[in-house]
Amino acid sequence: MADTITELFSAPLTFNWTLSYKCNFTCSHCYSRDEVGEELPTEKIKQVVDVLADRQVPFINFGGGEPLIRDDLLEVTRYATDKGLNVSMNSNGWLLDHATAEQIQQAGFKSVGISIDSAVGKSHDDFRNMNGSFERATAALDALHQVGVKTTMSAVISRINFKDFHSLLDLARKHKVSQVFLHNFKCSGRGFKNREDLDLSPQEWKEFYVEALGTKKVTKDLLISFDDPVIASLPGYDENPMVKGSSCGKLSLHLRPNGDITPCGFIPLVVGNILTDNFEDLWYNSPVLNGMRNKEAKGKCQGCGAYQDCLGGCTARSFATTGDLSEPDPHCWK
Amino acid sequence: MTFLQRNPDIVWRHEKRREEQVLKEMDAGKDVEERGTVILLISGMMHQLNLLGGMIWNLCDGTRTEEQIVDCLLKEFDVERNVLAADVAEFIEDLLQREWLIYG
């Protein structure tokens, strides 16, 4: 099926790659902590990199699970960067001391994101179920900065931090972070189980985004990024994203540890395997991907004036709560 | 000699399948001026280069001067050299000012 995405793009721009589901943390919101699965050996991972390089995918972002748990992470990264790919990762920072930061720099990482959910150490530690994790995370940011690796900071917005995100921005400044990602809460995995405790109401999401977008407009010393398509329905929203609605399945895809491809890490629909299936066929012909690229308004989205901009909001949240990719985003306040 | 090369900090991709489609449309007499065949990702924004721009971009690999790029393109387009050279010069000047191209 031809559409505006595949009419131009021959592949996604980014593969978010879960090398392993293993993690040294047990965070309350984690989408993947309860997942188990076969992991590819190093040589197979390099074959995946070969496919991505052949398809001219410019960006790889390692996530997880904790990427640094894989002892071949740096070797794989060097292999990918030598092939011209731009590699980044998201880490909890626990395993990232100064020596590791130097190795990360030498491996060619373009940037490293550290997850910090509260500027209050105890709140972060409690949320991450790991005493001392705040201290290690901020130390990781400092170590990376010292060796010249660009750092970003990621916070999942939830009940513990939505009224206090300004302090997260101050924390980022203190540790010389270049960009802060305020991620929307996804009700997948543990996030689904704990959503009653962690998720905001639609009205609270609206209030958060109104304030956060206002802060972004007047903030010049720090990049603030959101990845939530539901904000396109806000009055005064004037960003110009590359695509409308969720970018998953359009600009990005997700790789599981065994090479299975899903539209994103939060949508457990396997469209094929990168090593055993023809990627071009999956990219152009997958019914799941084409379904995400050609959503049809359902429920309250029908007739909504914002639909052409938000395209129903976050597809992962819709699917997690209704089992239907095209149902309205449960975070939508309209 | 002043060889033109792409700014190495710019992430880009030659969309070959799209280019094949655009070439077919051009052969069929359609206007393809606004049809991108190369995408550039700069500061979180995507820019597209059309068929001629994409071909120039691909040729700016640090081994050719502007004149040599025109020579290469003359094999692809049925057009007077001075007309093509003017288009190439305008495009390259624009991208040099943006610092998307640099002299190697």
Side-chain angles (χ1 to χ4, degrees):
Chain A
M1 180 190 294
D3 58 48
T4 54
I5 300 300
T6 55
E7 206 266 334
L8 174 61
F9 294 118
S10 55
L13 301 179
T14 302
F15 257 97
N16 294 303
W17 191 346
T18 300
L19 285 172
S20 170
Y21 287 128
K22 296 190 186 101
C23 189
N24 43 352
F25 283 19
T26 55
C27 303
S28 309
H29 66 301
C30 184
Y31 81 99
S32 69
R33 190 63 182 87
D34 297 336
E35 299 272 359
V36 289
E38 175 203 358
E39 292 181 18
L40 296 174
T42 307
E43 290 313 307
K44 289 285 185 184
I45 288 177
K46 288 181 178 176
Q47 287 179 26
V48 174
V49 171
D50 291 341
V51 174
L52 301 185
D54 181 59
R55 303 308 310 168
Q56 291 188 282
V57 175
F59 300 104
I60 294 173
N61 182 56
F62 291 124
E66 168 55 42
L68 283 164
I69 280 188
R70 284 276 314 207
D71 59 13
D72 56 1
L73 176 71
L74 299 172
E75 177 185 347
V76 169
T77 298
R78 182 77 267 165
Y79 185 78
T81 56
D82 284 348
K83 285 183 172 286
L85 282 84
N86 298 275
V87 182
S88 60
M89 74 165 153
N90 280 93
S91 166
N92 59 38
W94 186 267
L95 299 171
L96 212 163
D97 58 13
H98 189 83
T100 305
E102 285 185 329
Q103 293 172 332
I104 283 170
Q105 190 272 336
Q106 288 158 11
F109 272 94
K110 291 285 183 187
S111 71
V112 174
I114 301 294
S115 298
I116 299 181
D117 300 302
S118 172
V120 178
K122 186 172 184 318
S123 296
H124 173 85
D125 289 1
D126 288 348
F127 188 65
R128 298 261 158 191
N129 291 313
M130 191 68 148
N131 286 335
S133 58
F134 178 82
E135 194 175 325
R136 297 273 280 257
T138 52
L141 287 173
D142 293 341
L144 289 162
H145 179 70
Q146 284 164 14
V147 300
V149 174
K150 178 184 167 189
T151 55
T152 65
M153 206 172 96
S154 291
V156 175
I157 298 302
S158 70
R159 300 215 72 80
I160 75 158
N161 57 15
F162 79 107
K163 289 182 177 173
D164 198 25
F165 72 91
H166 290 282
S167 62
L168 282 165
L169 305 182
D170 290 337
L171 184 74
R173 292 184 180 97
K174 181 180 173 185
H175 293 281
K176 313 287 190 236
V177 167
S178 62
Q179 187 170 12
V180 175
F181 291 92
L182 300 177
H183 292 293
N184 62 93
F185 181 83
K186 303 284 200 318
C187 25
S188 301
R190 290 190 168 194
F192 188 85
K193 291 178 186 170
N194 296 318
R195 59 192 284 235
E196 296 295 324
D197 297 328
L198 297 174
D199 204 357
L200 314 186
S201 70
Q203 188 58 33
E204 286 171 326
W205 278 113
K206 180 180 181 182
E207 290 166 10
F208 165 76
Y209 277 127
V210 166
E211 186 176 352
L213 281 168
T215 300
K216 176 178 176 163
K217 275 189 180 174
V218 298
T219 299
K220 305 298 179 197
D221 63 334
L222 194 60
L223 276 173
I224 304 172
S225 298
F226 313 102
D227 58 356
D228 197 339
V230 80
I231 63 177
S233 69
L234 281 175
Y237 174 79
D238 59 0
E239 308 237 334
N240 186 24
M242 289 186 211
V243 295
K244 306 276 190 185
S246 286
S247 59
C248 312
K250 303 171 187 171
L251 301 179
S252 63
L253 290 175
H254 171 252
L255 271 173
R256 288 179 164 181
N258 66 352
D260 281 349
I261 299 170
T262 62
C264 81
F266 306 102
I267 298 180
L269 296 175
V270 175
V271 303
N273 186 283
I274 197 157
L275 290 179
T276 58
D277 292 312
N278 179 292
F279 178 75
E280 189 166 298
D281 183 43
L282 297 177
W283 176 249
Y284 287 106
N285 302 318
S286 160
V288 171
L289 298 184
N290 283 324
M292 295 186 65
R293 295 164 185 156
N294 301 282
K295 289 168 70 174
E296 293 179 13
K298 287 189 174 180
K300 67 179 182 181
C301 292
Q302 292 176 309
C304 176
Y307 185 78
Q308 62 182 350
D309 291 319
C310 76
L311 297 182
C314 174
T315 307
R317 274 197 301 265
S318 301
F319 187 76
T321 52
T322 69
D324 188 328
L325 298 167
S326 291
E327 284 289 330
D329 183 341
H331 282 185
C332 178
W333 45 80
K334 291 181 79 73
Chain B
M1 296 287 252
T2 46
F3 298 116
L4 286 154
Q5 66 180 62
R6 301 176 287 266
N7 183 331
D9 293 333
I10 292 178
V11 174
W12 63 283
R13 183 162 73 197
H14 181 186
E15 296 289 3
K16 294 173 186 166
R17 181 164 156 151
R18 166 82 155 211
E19 185 177 77
E20 287 171 13
Q21 181 63 30
V22 169
L23 284 167
K24 282 181 193 168
E25 290 172 13
M26 189 173 72
D27 288 345
K30 292 184 180 173
D31 181 7
V32 296
E33 184 74 19
E34 301 297 322
R35 305 270 282 149
T37 58
V38 167
I39 57 171
L40 313 179
L41 302 166
I42 302 165
S43 301
M45 298 284 289
M46 184 180 75
H47 304 264
Q48 297 184 45
L49 303 180
N50 66 12
L51 185 63
L52 177 60
M55 286 180 171
I56 297 170
W57 180 263
N58 273 298
L59 290 166
C60 290
D61 59 0
T63 67
R64 297 178 181 86
T65 64
E66 184 173 319
E67 194 167 334
Q68 289 168 328
I69 288 170
V70 174
D71 291 340
C72 291
L73 291 170
L74 274 172
K75 296 170 190 164
E76 305 292 331
F77 295 99
D78 183 17
V79 62
E80 292 292 326
R81 181 184 178 90
N82 61 334
V83 173
L84 182 61
D87 286 345
V88 171
E90 183 181 9
F91 179 83
I92 286 175
E93 178 60 26
D94 180 22
L95 267 58
L96 284 169
Q97 284 191 9
R98 294 170 188 256
E99 298 182 350
W100 296 358
L101 288 178
I102 53 179
Y103 283 116

